[in-house]
Amino acid sequence: MKRGNWRGRRSRRHPHHPHHPHHPPAPDDDGSDWSMRNRPTDTPESSDTSSRSDAASSSRSNAPAPELPGFYFDPEKNRYFRLLPGHNNCNPLTRETLEEKERERKRTKLLAEDERARKKAPRTGLNSTLLLQRRRLGELSPSSYCRLVHEVKVSEMKRHKLEVQSADSSSPNTDNFRLIVADSACERVFTVNDVSHGGCKYGIMNFSGCRNGSLSAQMCDNLYFTNRKVNSVCWASVTHSDSHVLLCLVGISHTPGCVSLLPASLFSNSNPDQPGMLCSFKISTAWSCAWCLNPQADKTFSTGLSRSVIVTDAVTGRRQTYSTGSDVLAQQFALRAPVLFNGCRSGEIFSMDLRQRGRGRDHSWKSSRFHQDSAVTSVRLLQDENYLLAADMLGKIKLWDVRATRPVRRYDGHHNEYAYLPLHLCEREGLLLAVGQDCYTRVWSLRDGHLLRTIPSPHPAGKDSIPNVVFSSQLGGRRGLPGLLMAVCHDLYYYPYGDYQDGTVSEAQG
């Protein structure tokens, strides 16, 4: 190749190189620069392509990592960790510990959200100002307005810790609450605590409230101790309304179980000379109990046992036994008639009229029968006694039409697998409450089943730290305060409800 040709060929390459320092790009006929002419324009096709690529990359980054047998993917550290079997390692990473860590993270996050001054409304666009405007414009009926106002109040409840006052202030309560049951007026709450060395202790707390929003709790001095486990508790009206407490005690060793009827005056700091009627009925292990307030079965109570129901006259001791074929875990008497509703381990719910004499094995004495999918843990009658709420061990809560024996509404979100968990009905406020086995307290609208709020436990979730709650518009009696009372572990908390959100309580916010 000739030398001139090589130079010419090399010189022809340089003018077309856009970044050559000695040969700037030649302008085109229209005077535009090469770099401007070849710059990519933002056409719809190019923008769509770039957006699709960005979306694909973001979806890949947000997509969950594939599960590998024996490994756990930590999204924070972006790597896999081996799951170690057994408990012989110093710090085993098991699936149970990971699930517990995730539950605790969610609980802490929900607690932080509850501490915020402005909480999320239970329904979209629901607030007190808007409801009042709609009420004045005639868009809401009085009943609908009251129901929606109660829903707003539920979302605004804040947690406060209560100090339980007692004569012996030097020994604070260190035993975990097992049960709390309020009387019909919510003036007193019967408490059952697990004792560390075994057995239970029980007493009565008295509540009083002030109009500035403060609530105080006082425990009676004379607590009772027993080495038996308390299965079920209900208030009994023997001489007057809520004059006694009915307890089902589990038998131990060679000692059979029993049902004790204790006067509430025993748990009083005044120590009266005449405590009233005090009796005990020997009985096999009872799962549930209920007291009848209908005059046609005066001073009568029932106990749900394994495969049978026993109805007892508290004065004469006379008994009637009904064979059920399954363990009776939940009971409640109707008020208008001496009719007892029962929930069984088999999932069956049936009613029985005490005025009927037949108790044959054909179960013809059962007035109505319907079934849940699992063991029934709680039954609650509505005021008109045509509808009944039932909860089971699959976490399903249903509202049943007793006349048609069919469910008419469901309340989703409840969590239960094997625990005996009660329902709490507040028909005046149109609310339904239940504490799940995951230690969350959930509040539903009784009318349409909408989940209004999920309240996390102040303590880490555990089998022995499931909260017990009482909800009332008059905690402390006729002059009491509205709110939610929560007993968890050895602590007591109060959630003001309504117009007392900014009031002071006996202890700083927990």
Side-chain angles (χ1 to χ4, degrees):
M1 182 181 294
K2 293 183 179 181
R3 188 173 184 180
N5 294 337
W6 169 252
R7 288 181 178 178
R9 184 176 300 176
R10 184 175 57 180
S11 63
R12 283 195 297 268
R13 292 176 58 191
H14 287 270
H16 300 285
H17 197 287
H19 302 290
H20 198 279
H22 301 290
H23 301 277
D28 293 326
D29 296 336
D30 57 356
S32 61
D33 195 357
W34 183 93
S35 59
M36 296 296 296
R37 181 169 56 86
N38 292 277
R39 179 175 296 174
T41 58
D42 293 334
T43 60
E45 293 80 2
S46 61
S47 61
D48 292 344
T49 305
S50 60
S51 62
R52 285 196 299 267
S53 62
D54 294 340
S57 61
S58 62
S59 63
R60 284 194 301 268
S61 60
N62 295 330
E67 292 189 4
L68 299 179
F71 288 87
Y72 159 73
F73 181 79
D74 192 332
E76 297 179 357
K77 298 182 180 180
N78 196 25
R79 59 172 293 187
Y80 285 91
F81 291 91
R82 182 186 296 275
L83 294 175
L84 302 179
H87 302 281
N88 296 324
N89 301 283
C90 298
N91 187 19
L93 185 63
T94 62
R95 192 169 299 277
E96 289 77 12
T97 57
L98 294 172
E99 292 176 353
E100 182 179 356
K101 180 181 177 181
E102 179 64 17
R103 288 195 299 266
E104 181 63 17
R105 186 189 66 81
K106 291 180 179 179
R107 186 190 70 88
T108 305
K109 180 180 178 181
L110 196 54
L111 278 177
E113 293 178 357
D114 278 357
E115 296 296 334
R116 296 176 184 173
R118 188 177 183 87
K119 293 185 175 62
K120 182 180 178 182
R123 300 178 194 261
T124 305
L126 189 64
N127 59 71
S128 301
T129 305
L130 179 60
L131 291 177
L132 185 59
Q133 292 177 355
R134 295 179 60 189
R135 177 71 182 96
R136 290 175 176 174
L137 293 174
E139 297 179 1
L140 287 176
S141 63
S143 59
S144 298
Y145 173 74
C146 293
R147 176 178 58 83
L148 293 174
V149 165
H150 283 302
E151 294 185 7
V152 174
K153 292 179 181 180
V154 165
S155 65
E156 295 175 349
M157 292 191 305
K158 293 183 179 179
R159 173 173 48 92
H160 300 271
K161 187 175 180 180
L162 287 178
E163 288 294 339
V164 181
Q165 303 173 4
S166 62
D168 189 6
S169 58
S170 60
S171 58
N173 179 40
T174 57
D175 299 315
N176 291 346
F177 285 99
R178 178 176 178 83
L179 288 171
I180 60 172
V181 182
D183 62 4
S184 57
C186 283
E187 291 181 338
R188 302 163 296 173
V189 172
F190 188 82
T191 66
V192 179
N193 294 70
D194 288 329
V195 182
S196 57
H197 58 268
C200 298
K201 70 175 182 180
Y202 38 86
I204 289 180
M205 284 191 298
N206 295 286
F207 290 88
S208 60
C210 300
R211 285 301 160 187
N212 64 350
S214 62
L215 184 72
S216 61
Q218 184 177 12
M219 176 65 75
C220 64
D221 298 338
N222 46 336
L223 298 174
Y224 277 67
F225 292 84
T226 177
N227 56 353
R228 302 184 184 185
K229 177 183 175 182
V230 178
N231 252 4
S232 182
V233 174
C234 73
W235 287 84
S237 300
V238 180
T239 57
H240 56 274
S241 178
D242 300 324
S243 61
H244 288 65
V245 181
L246 190 67
L247 297 94
C248 297
L249 302 177
V250 180
I252 55 172
S253 186
H254 299 290
T255 305
C258 69
V259 176
S260 296
L261 193 61
L262 305 178
S265 57
L266 285 176
F267 307 95
S268 174
N269 296 332
S270 59
N271 294 323
D273 296 333
Q274 299 294 331
M277 179 180 177
L278 175 64
C279 55
S280 179
F281 305 89
K282 292 183 179 181
I283 206 168
S284 57
T285 301
W287 298 102
S288 57
C289 62
W291 183 268
C292 183
L293 295 175
N294 187 272
Q296 299 183 56
D298 189 32
K299 297 180 178 56
T300 299
F301 68 91
S302 68
T303 49
L305 286 73
S306 298
R307 301 178 179 272
S308 64
V309 171
I310 296 180
V311 179
T312 308
D313 189 311
V315 178
T316 63
R318 182 180 177 182
R319 295 182 180 181
Q320 293 183 4
T321 303
Y322 300 82
S323 177
T324 61
S326 179
D327 302 342
V328 180
L329 305 182
Q331 292 182 313
Q332 186 183 7
F333 273 103
L335 182 61
R336 299 179 181 178
V339 177
L340 176 64
F341 287 85
N342 304 269
C344 301
R345 190 181 297 275
S346 63
E348 181 187 17
I349 302 171
F350 66 90
S351 63
M352 45 188 288
D353 194 330
L354 302 187
R355 295 168 295 188
Q356 294 182 355
R357 297 300 179 183
R359 290 173 289 167
R361 294 185 178 181
D362 58 353
H363 293 179
S364 59
W365 43 269
K366 294 183 178 180
S367 303
S368 59
R369 304 173 68 178
F370 40 93
H371 287 78
Q372 295 251 139
D373 298 328
S374 182
V376 178
T377 61
S378 181
V379 291
R380 294 298 305 272
L381 267 174
L382 271 62
Q383 289 180 357
D384 62 2
E385 300 185 356
N386 292 323
Y387 295 92
L388 178 137
L389 284 162
D392 60 26
M393 288 190 182
L394 287 179
K396 294 183 179 180
I397 303 176
K398 296 181 182 180
L399 179 66
W400 290 85
D401 187 329
V402 176
R403 299 160 297 182
T405 63
R406 64 181 182 88
V408 295
R409 190 168 296 118
R410 291 182 57 178
Y411 302 86
D412 298 327
H414 185 53
H415 178 77
N416 191 13
E417 295 177 356
Y418 58 82
Y420 178 82
L421 301 174
L423 292 175
H424 304 274
L425 176 62
C426 311
E427 197 166 352
R428 178 181 174 182
E429 292 80 13
L431 303 174
L432 172 66
L433 291 88
V435 180
Q437 197 173 335
D438 54 359
C439 298
Y440 287 95
T441 303
R442 295 176 174 86
V443 186
W444 292 270
S445 169
L446 183 63
R447 179 176 177 270
D448 57 13
H450 183 77
L451 180 60
L452 303 176
R453 186 172 176 185
T454 302
I455 304 175
S457 172
H459 289 255
K463 183 176 64 175
D464 298 328
S465 59
I466 299 177
N468 290 270
V469 299
V470 168
F471 184 89
S472 174
S473 58
Q474 294 179 327
L475 281 175
R478 187 169 55 183
R479 297 184 179 180
L481 301 177
L484 172 70
L485 192 68
M486 178 184 293
V488 51
C489 293
H490 57 271
D491 293 327
L492 195 66
Y493 297 90
Y494 171 53
Y495 293 76
Y497 175 83
D499 302 328
Y500 306 98
Q501 298 299 318
D502 298 326
T504 58
V505 288
S506 60
E507 185 69 13
Q509 188 170 351

